[in-house]
Amino acid sequence: LPTITEAVTIDGYTQPGATPNSNPAPQGLNAVLRIVIRRSNGTASGLTISASASGVVVRGLVINRFNPHGIVISGGNNFIEGNFIGTDAGGTTDQGNTQDGIRVSGANNRVGGTLPAARNLISGNNSDGIEITGGGATGNLVQGNLIGTNIGGTADLGNSSDGVRINGAPNNTVGGTVPGARNLISGNGSDGVEITGSGATGNLVQG
């Protein structure tokens, strides 16, 4: 797929029969997703949001089996909401991307959110569920997600490495102080949350 270079909304919930989640965090999800983006051959990430792109919204998609990553975000102020990254459309089977579910190197992006419809399922990926990496990856929010479980939050569908990895990136937040910001992070093959590297200062893990 072409690299995303400007503000656009990709909304899988416009597909008939698709409905966003209505359960609050940290309960399981009841979203119904009808659009699946899957790699058939070759090497490419599913969606790539370039450094020039801001205001991109991706919601209501199932993204699986890409190599290396499901979503790559190099830009800032973008939003990943209400998706299943690394599972099947039912949210019960591992169909992980070869490396990270979501890889973030830009600033002030939000993965999930405090509203029920914004919550993602990020599970089954063959490296990290979410990796926030590099000194420019600051001010990012990871909120309200299920990371490493099935759609119900009741069974192990772990990412092979960390649920969330913050690698040399400062001042990011996983969770938050309001109930809707809580992530459920469980079942991952290594750490639930890893914060590593000398530049990884000022990060918060809450709720």
Side-chain angles (χ1 to χ4, degrees):
L1 296 170
T3 297
I4 299 169
T5 59
E6 58 187 329
V8 65
T9 296
I10 303 173
D11 189 353
Y13 290 117
T14 59
Q15 178 72 10
T19 57
N21 172 67
S22 61
N23 287 339
Q27 295 180 29
L29 306 177
N30 60 12
V32 176
L33 276 58
R34 299 298 191 195
I35 301 293
V36 179
I37 301 177
R38 175 183 294 126
R39 178 180 64 94
S40 60
N41 55 58
T43 301
S45 294
L47 295 175
T48 299
I49 300 173
S50 76
S52 66
S54 179
V56 175
V57 180
V58 177
R59 64 166 68 101
L61 302 179
V62 180
I63 299 176
N64 59 37
R65 297 200 180 282
F66 284 95
N67 181 13
H69 312 298
I71 299 176
V72 175
I73 306 172
S74 300
N77 299 293
N78 301 294
F79 307 94
I80 309 300
E81 303 177 338
N83 304 284
F84 295 177
I85 311 294
T87 76
D88 66 338
T92 60
T93 302
D94 180 340
Q95 295 189 6
N97 298 287
T98 301
Q99 294 187 33
D100 299 334
I102 301 173
R103 184 179 178 89
V104 181
S105 59
N108 303 312
N109 300 286
R110 174 164 51 78
V111 178
T114 59
L115 298 178
R119 302 173 64 206
N120 299 288
L121 174 64
I122 306 168
S123 298
N125 299 288
N126 295 333
S127 185
D128 302 316
I130 302 168
E131 182 173 7
I132 300 171
T133 184
T138 184
N140 296 290
L141 298 175
V142 177
Q143 297 180 318
N145 304 289
L146 301 182
I147 303 173
T149 75
N150 68 347
I151 189 174
T154 56
D156 181 348
L157 203 64
N159 301 288
S160 296
S161 188
D162 300 331
V164 179
R165 186 170 194 256
I166 298 175
N167 182 16
N171 302 316
N172 300 283
T173 301
V174 178
T177 59
V178 300
R182 294 174 292 177
N183 298 287
L184 176 60
I185 304 174
S186 185
N188 298 288
S190 186
D191 300 318
V193 179
E194 179 183 7
I195 301 173
T196 185
S198 59
T201 60
N203 294 290
L204 295 175
V205 180
Q206 300 175 312

